[in-house]
Amino acid sequence: MTDLPLASEFPPATREQWRKLVDGVLKGASFEKTLVSKTYDGLTIEPLYGRRADASALSGRAPAAPWQVMMRVDNPDPKVANVQALEDLENGANGLVLVCPGSIGSQGFGIDTSADGLAHILDGIYLDAGAPIEFQLTREAKDVPAHVAAIIRQRGLDPAACDLRIGFDPIGLMAAGASAPAPWSDIAPLFARMTRALADDGFRGPFAAADARVIHNAGGSEVQELAYALSVAVAYWRALEAGGVALDDARRMIFFRHSADADQFMTMAKFRALRKLWARVEEASGLTPQPIFIAAETAWRMMTQRDPYVNMLRVTIAAFAAGLGGANAVTVLPFTAALGLPDAFARRVARNTQLILLEESNLAKVSDPAAGSGGIEDLTDQLCRAAWTLFQDIEKAGGIASALESGLIQNKVAETRRAREKAIATRRDPLTGTSEFPHLSENSVKVLQPASQVAPAFPENALPSIRLAEPFEKLRDASDAILKATGARPKVFLATLGQPSDFIARATFARNFFEAGGIEAVEFTGNNLTESFKASDATLVCLCSSDEVYAQEAAGSAQALAAAGANHIYLAGRPGDAFRQAGIQDFIYAGCDALGTLKAAYDILET
């Protein structure tokens, strides 16, 4: 086939030429401050990258092999769980994740872990037919692997023919706040014995999960996730070796779990970085690196209860990024997961999200498609360097168990979580459908069982599981309660001044701003500002217009509205002393503390 010339007929463009054009647009503004961004780990993201010509593809899945399409099984009723599991497997999923109550990521639900319960759940499922089963365990559910092994023996199956990922993760449970019966030094030998017993019975494994979701769910950074996962995996590797398992065999008994979120490039780089980092650990241990198994789950912390259909977009991007980043298995959370147990429709959408990516988009046909991409390669390398440094710090502190006991991990994660919460509050990190573009009259969606409205309590030194949208959702819940009690939501009157060309941009901004907190925006209609305000039944007012109109009309309008009964007046724009002197109390603008302003608005409404 003759190559198409495409852009080859044009003279080559240089970075210097591009930079000259950019500087002309910036007109003296700082290039670094305007176009260069930073991650929560302080990593640099440039606006433009060249191709990385010396890069090579990372070893992960077999060439052109699809990832495993996994579905969560977390319904407490074993009969319902069985129906869901069979339906998933019959309609495109090729693996199941059995979620035990209280496990990392269980989020208030979980299966019946008794022997009878597991027998019901696995009824009709051919365990030796190639469908992988992954377990998310707790200390209370430590007998689940033994119960499943008994089922396999009863069916006369060869354990080696059953693809089971057991998922022992005692350190992860300690990090999440589960009470440990003893220090890790005492638990490690028991962990090794249980793992070795399964291997001796003929099971292939892997048996231990280095589950970094506990860091992601708590608001941690990508570097913290990677360093934590490395440290946990090394701790399990050491425990297995001390328990008499050969080093080469022990590494195959460990797999990794990671969250994938809607930051596409960061997620791809994180999964790629994990492979490079573990290969470095293997090399340092005197072994030739081998591909590791990475199980991905779309991130819990990005899920929202409000406008949950947007979650479909979030999980699609996350699954896309995890698959292209080299994940071996991907679990997509149903779009209603934050609201409760998903129904058949939500589960079908979760399945089909992956099937479309695999069967229609053929994403798995290219191995490591990010190889050579300047931006993703650079981000991968930065993640590797920063995560390796933190991994070394954890090792210097005595290993992951000691780092958790001293609070080293928790303190670092808490610092990042606070930074995230600030970015959410100021809407620098927007949440579509929640903090941006809210829909106050949205219809409710169906779930089989609603999630608990009582926030779970976490021990003092635990890594809490959060959702980033929760602070805004609490305001929306307060608005719903007021609507139910009084028949009307709290309101803000948008005093639009001048012509539509003057006020429409800021009026739209103000509507989104206040309705993100459940405060209904009512716009000025008619010819008389104060009469329209009185008819709105609002006590809060927000002036909306251009800076030019504000200079002429803001002060007089604010005074007239105050005289008409407005007890708090906002202005959509930057603060100014002249405005304050005219009685304008607050200002809303891009980058202001939206969450704090909205919380204060409810306090004003109560007075």
Side-chain angles (χ1 to χ4, degrees):
M1 179 178 177
T2 304
D3 289 337
L4 297 175
L6 298 178
S8 63
E9 296 181 353
F10 295 90
T14 66
R15 186 178 182 85
E16 289 71 25
Q17 290 173 318
W18 170 80
R19 180 61 186 268
K20 185 176 181 180
L21 291 172
V22 169
D23 289 341
V25 174
L26 291 177
K27 297 179 179 178
S30 169
F31 176 88
E32 286 71 21
K33 291 182 179 179
T34 306
L35 296 178
V36 177
S37 58
K38 296 283 188 179
T39 72
Y40 284 99
D41 289 304
L43 309 184
T44 299
I45 300 178
E46 298 283 348
L48 183 69
Y49 290 89
R51 177 174 174 266
R52 182 76 69 83
D54 60 345
S56 58
L58 295 175
S59 295
R61 299 188 305 268
W67 62 82
Q68 297 172 357
V69 178
M70 308 294 289
M71 285 295 295
R72 281 170 63 98
V73 180
D74 55 359
N75 196 298
D77 186 328
K79 293 183 179 179
V80 175
N82 175 253
V83 170
Q84 291 177 337
L86 290 172
E87 183 176 356
D88 290 332
L89 293 172
E90 291 167 358
N91 289 278
N94 51 27
L96 303 172
V97 179
L98 302 188
V99 180
C100 298
S103 62
I104 298 169
S106 60
Q107 311 306 342
F109 296 105
I111 60 170
D112 181 346
T113 59
S114 67
D116 288 342
L118 288 165
H120 280 298
I121 293 169
L122 297 175
D123 184 32
I125 296 173
Y126 298 97
L127 298 175
D128 59 343
I133 308 292
E134 182 178 314
F135 299 89
Q136 297 185 4
L137 301 175
T138 63
R139 183 162 60 89
E140 292 74 18
K142 65 181 182 300
D143 294 330
V144 165
H147 294 329
V148 174
I151 293 171
I152 290 172
R153 286 193 296 271
Q154 290 168 6
R155 296 184 184 182
L157 304 178
D158 178 5
C162 303
D163 189 355
L164 304 181
R165 293 194 292 276
I166 301 301
F168 289 133
D169 186 21
I171 294 177
L173 294 171
M174 290 163 55
S179 58
W184 169 242
S185 58
D186 294 338
I187 296 173
L190 175 61
F191 159 80
R193 285 197 299 272
M194 293 174 66
T195 302
R196 188 167 182 174
L198 288 168
D200 291 343
D201 284 344
F203 290 95
R204 289 184 288 143
F207 306 107
D211 192 343
R213 292 179 306 158
V214 68
I215 302 294
H216 196 279
N217 290 350
S221 70
E222 291 75 20
V223 166
Q224 291 160 1
E225 290 178 62
L226 291 167
Y228 171 86
L230 284 186
S231 301
V232 171
V234 166
Y236 293 158
W237 201 6
R238 287 172 176 151
L240 291 169
E241 185 188 24
V245 182
L247 202 61
D248 189 39
D249 294 332
R251 62 171 166 172
R252 297 189 184 94
M253 296 180 175
I254 302 167
F255 73 103
F256 294 82
R257 282 200 198 106
H258 271 266
S259 296
D261 65 22
D263 189 335
Q264 175 186 326
F265 296 141
M266 180 62 80
T267 295
M268 292 174 67
K270 180 176 71 176
F271 279 75
R272 298 180 80 248
L274 178 59
R275 292 196 180 279
K276 296 182 75 169
L277 286 163
W278 186 248
R280 179 70 185 93
V281 171
E282 290 176 311
E283 289 173 350
S285 303
L287 298 176
T288 300
Q290 294 183 353
I292 55 175
F293 192 99
I294 305 176
E297 182 180 79
T298 57
W300 169 255
R301 77 182 184 202
M302 72 178 179
M303 302 297 281
T304 65
Q305 293 182 343
R306 299 295 174 160
D307 205 352
Y309 295 102
V310 182
N311 290 329
M312 293 185 189
L313 304 179
R314 296 185 180 102
V315 299
T316 299
I317 296 171
F320 176 95
L324 294 190
N328 300 87
V330 178
T331 305
V332 169
L333 295 181
F335 74 97
T336 59
L339 292 163
L341 281 176
D343 63 2
F345 173 70
R347 295 182 70 87
R348 178 163 64 91
V349 172
R351 288 194 309 269
N352 289 349
T353 297
Q354 296 201 60
L355 295 178
I356 290 171
L357 294 176
L358 284 170
E359 304 297 337
E360 297 189 18
S361 300
N362 291 300
L363 292 188
K365 296 298 183 183
V366 179
S367 298
D368 193 17
S373 166
I376 298 179
E377 290 282 8
D378 181 70
L379 191 53
T380 300
D381 290 346
Q382 289 191 73
L383 285 171
C384 284
R385 288 192 293 271
W388 190 259
T389 298
L390 180 55
F391 167 64
Q392 290 177 316
D393 290 342
I394 294 171
E395 290 296 289
K396 290 175 184 175
I400 187 63
S402 295
L404 288 168
E405 290 172 4
S406 68
L408 172 66
I409 302 296
Q410 296 91 325
N411 292 338
K412 288 184 177 294
V413 171
E415 183 179 353
T416 304
R417 182 170 62 250
R418 287 191 291 269
R420 286 192 193 279
E421 290 169 346
K422 182 178 179 180
I424 294 294
T426 59
R427 304 196 299 176
R428 183 170 64 84
D429 284 354
L431 299 170
T432 303
T434 301
S435 66
E436 296 277 11
F437 310 111
H439 182 33
L440 290 187
S441 57
E442 64 180 288
N443 295 323
S444 59
V445 297
K446 294 180 180 179
V447 293
L448 298 183
Q449 181 180 331
S452 172
Q453 298 302 308
V454 179
F458 292 94
E460 183 178 351
N461 214 31
L463 290 165
S465 179
I466 65 168
R467 287 186 303 103
L468 297 173
E470 288 177 287
F472 281 94
E473 290 171 352
K474 289 179 181 178
L475 295 176
R476 293 284 297 275
D477 291 343
S479 174
D480 289 348
I482 292 172
L483 174 64
K484 184 176 181 180
T486 67
R489 295 189 183 278
K491 296 177 182 177
V492 60
F493 177 71
L494 302 186
T496 52
L497 309 178
Q499 300 300 314
S501 58
D502 297 316
F503 62 72
I504 193 166
R506 279 177 167 155
T508 302
F509 173 86
R511 177 180 294 277
N512 283 328
F513 183 98
F514 284 103
E515 293 193 349
I519 300 174
E520 182 182 353
V522 181
E523 271 194 47
F524 167 38
T525 57
N527 299 316
N528 189 294
L529 184 66
T530 55
E531 291 301 318
S532 181
F533 162 68
K534 292 177 181 178
S536 72
D537 196 30
T539 58
L540 305 179
V541 170
C542 183
L543 303 180
C544 304
S545 195
S546 64
D547 291 342
E548 292 77 11
V549 174
Y550 284 155
Q552 300 173 9
E553 301 184 25
S557 298
Q559 292 167 353
L561 288 164
N567 65 2
H568 203 85
I569 300 176
Y570 303 83
L571 181 140
R574 295 280 173 176
D577 291 338
F579 296 143
R580 295 186 191 280
Q581 293 171 4
I584 297 171
Q585 292 112 315
D586 272 311
F587 302 83
I588 62 171
Y589 50 90
C592 73
D593 183 0
L595 186 63
T597 301
L598 291 168
K599 286 180 178 178
Y602 276 88
D603 293 336
I604 294 165
L605 289 166
E606 291 177 0
T607 58

